[in-house]
Amino acid sequence: MVPPEYTKWVTEQPGHILTAHKPLRDIVAIPYLLPTMDMKHDMYIMDVVRKEVTRSLGTLQPHIIHDMQESIDRLLGTDTENWRTVPLYGTFQEILFKSSNRMFVGDPLCNNKIFQRSVAMFADFLGAGAVFVGEYLPLVLKPIFGYALAPPIYLAQSVCFRYLVPEIKRRMVNIRIQKADPNFEWKPPTDMLMWIVIAAMNRNDPTADRPEAIAQGLLFLMLGGIQTSIFTATNVFLDLLSSPPSSNYYMRLREEITSVLTSQDEWESVKAVGKLHCTDSTIRESLRMSPILTRTGMREVVKKGGVQFPNGQTVPKGAWLAMPAVAIHYDEQFYPEPETFKPFRFAPESAKATKTVDGTSNSSKDVEDDPITPKESQYKVLSTTYIISHYDVEPIEHRPLHRIIGSHFVPPAISVKVRRLKESS
């Protein structure tokens, strides 16, 4: 485990010294669950997504918020008189799968129910297999159980490929035609799939632009991006609903949201949503208390002869490094009263009093491990803000305990009662 003072130093080391690639491959048990997957393109895909999400979220946000609003109204209902009981985790899973698919693959796949279910199955099967095989089993048993669990993963992947691969081929053909004929009328879609296709075609690597390789890389990216958003949104509401009634956090957030987002144009504006400082702080605080992983920033030393830390200590080649997220997030040195949920801890007026590990207000984030870093926080704000501003949710007496599965903080499965506000119906 890396001491907090060296967190930033470790994450800044280039890939030929410390790599995140090998630990990720082993933790997810890719050699056993998806042995045909080539992860060497993973890093360039992440680089593409980081750059393009920051540049293009303004174009995507109107479509994303429309999908979210439609899904939330359907799942939570528009009845202003009666309470409806809904499963918290399952509700966010359905809400965020469609809106996330809008960002990942765009039309028409984001509206294809079979494709959505297949992606969900792929995420569930691979996620469960990765934890069981990658984190619980000794090395000698990994091939036995890994190969036994692989068929359902391949089945879900093959259904996804049935829709993804033809779409990728169609886009690649259109790109080539448009390059040869500038008068060819075709507007490239604005989504992650398009960005990855373009980047793959521009690489001098004949294996990078295979439609199957692009599809597999995108599915792997979706696995992490969607699941972390679901965990985060669920934990935010668990923290808010279990807070002392006297804190009035829920209503204070509603006041901020309704005062900033006064029209549909502002809901669709990246700039306007960026003004929700208390809401953003609430999500960051919830991530502090419930990090996605118990350890973050996994790296393997790949430099011959090992790597020397600034204090002179040498770590040999082949060793794994990681940051103890939970220990850091609950350390009073960095976060006063770490056991207490303080949703406005990272709001501008409070942030100066908070000493963070890496110079950011959310030390659980690792740029290389989470490709949607630049605007991910703002993307997660959208579903949270719409529910808070349009629905009452009954408080819960106590926050249920986390479920620690492998190295993952998994939100507990509980149901809550919701009711639409009369003025927002």
Side-chain angles (χ1 to χ4, degrees), residues 17 20 26 41 81 203 250 316 422:
I17 296 177
D26 290 345
H41 308 304
E81 301 296 332
R203 286 171 63 87
Y250 197 89
K422 288 186 178 180

Side-chain angles (χ1 to χ4, degrees), residues 150-171:
I153 298 172
Y154 272 102
L155 177 61
Q157 178 183 266
S158 66
V159 178
C160 294
F161 276 18
R162 192 184 307 162
Y163 296 93
L164 268 178
V165 171
E167 178 66 14
I168 292 170
K169 289 180 178 178
R170 183 183 69 84
R171 296 187 185 195

Side-chain angles (χ1 to χ4, degrees), residues 65-318:
I65 190 59
H66 176 270
D67 286 342
M68 282 187 178
Q69 290 171 340
E70 184 183 74
S71 297
I72 292 171
D73 289 348
R74 175 173 51 83
L75 293 168
L76 303 189
T78 55
D79 188 344
T80 61
E81 301 296 332
N82 303 301
W83 293 89
R84 173 182 289 194
T85 301
V86 298
L88 191 61
Y89 179 87
T91 299
F92 276 117
Q93 187 176 43
E94 191 163 346
I95 291 169
L96 293 171
F97 250 107
K98 182 178 180 182
S99 55
S100 297
N101 278 334
R102 167 76 65 179
M103 184 164 59
F104 281 108
V105 298
D107 282 323
L109 292 183
C110 69
N111 292 309
N112 186 309
K113 299 294 184 184
I114 299 176
F115 177 74
Q116 288 184 39
R117 285 196 294 269
S118 301
V119 172
M121 288 175 58
F122 178 80
D124 289 343
F125 289 146
L126 182 57
V131 171
F132 178 63
V133 178
E135 300 195 54
Y136 282 125
L137 293 182
L139 184 61
V140 67
L141 295 179
K142 289 181 188 292
I144 299 172
F145 286 90
Y147 296 145
L149 293 172
I153 298 172
Y154 272 102
L155 177 61
Q157 178 183 266
S158 66
V159 178
C160 294
F161 276 18
R162 192 184 307 162
Y163 296 93
L164 268 178
V165 171
E167 178 66 14
I168 292 170
K169 289 180 178 178
R170 183 183 69 84
R171 296 187 185 195
M172 295 176 81
V173 168
N174 285 342
I175 290 172
R176 293 188 178 103
I177 294 175
Q178 198 167 61
K179 282 185 177 180
D181 180 8
N183 296 320
F184 177 64
E185 292 187 6
W186 176 67
K187 184 179 179 181
T190 304
D191 53 49
M192 291 190 191
L193 177 58
M194 191 71 245
W195 307 330
I196 295 170
V197 167
I198 293 173
M201 293 179 69
N202 289 336
R203 286 171 63 87
N204 294 320
D205 185 343
T207 65
D209 64 354
R210 289 188 305 106
E212 292 77 12
I214 295 172
Q216 199 166 51
L218 181 71
L219 283 175
F220 195 73
L221 185 67
M222 294 172 74
L223 169 67
I226 297 176
Q227 205 64 42
T228 56
S229 297
I230 296 168
F231 281 14
T232 301
T234 303
N235 281 319
V236 166
F237 274 85
L238 288 173
D239 290 328
L240 285 173
L241 299 178
S242 61
S243 296
S246 59
S247 65
N248 213 25
Y249 292 143
Y250 197 89
M251 293 305 298
R252 289 165 69 181
L253 289 174
R254 180 179 289 170
E255 289 173 5
E256 178 189 63
I257 296 163
T258 54
S259 65
V260 173
L261 306 180
T262 58
S263 67
Q264 185 63 24
D265 287 343
E266 287 173 323
W267 277 96
E268 296 175 359
S269 166
V270 173
K271 185 177 180 180
V273 174
K275 295 177 182 178
L276 300 175
H277 302 300
C278 290
T279 308
D280 180 71
S281 174
T282 300
I283 292 174
R284 293 173 182 269
E285 172 69 350
S286 186
L287 274 168
R288 181 192 69 81
M289 297 199 72
S290 307
I292 304 300
L293 298 169
T294 58
R295 58 180 184 267
T296 61
M298 293 289 293
R299 298 290 189 274
E300 180 176 333
V301 180
V302 292
K303 182 182 178 182
K304 186 177 180 180
V307 62
Q308 188 175 65
F309 275 70
N311 65 354
Q313 181 180 3
T314 299
V315 179
K317 180 181 179 181

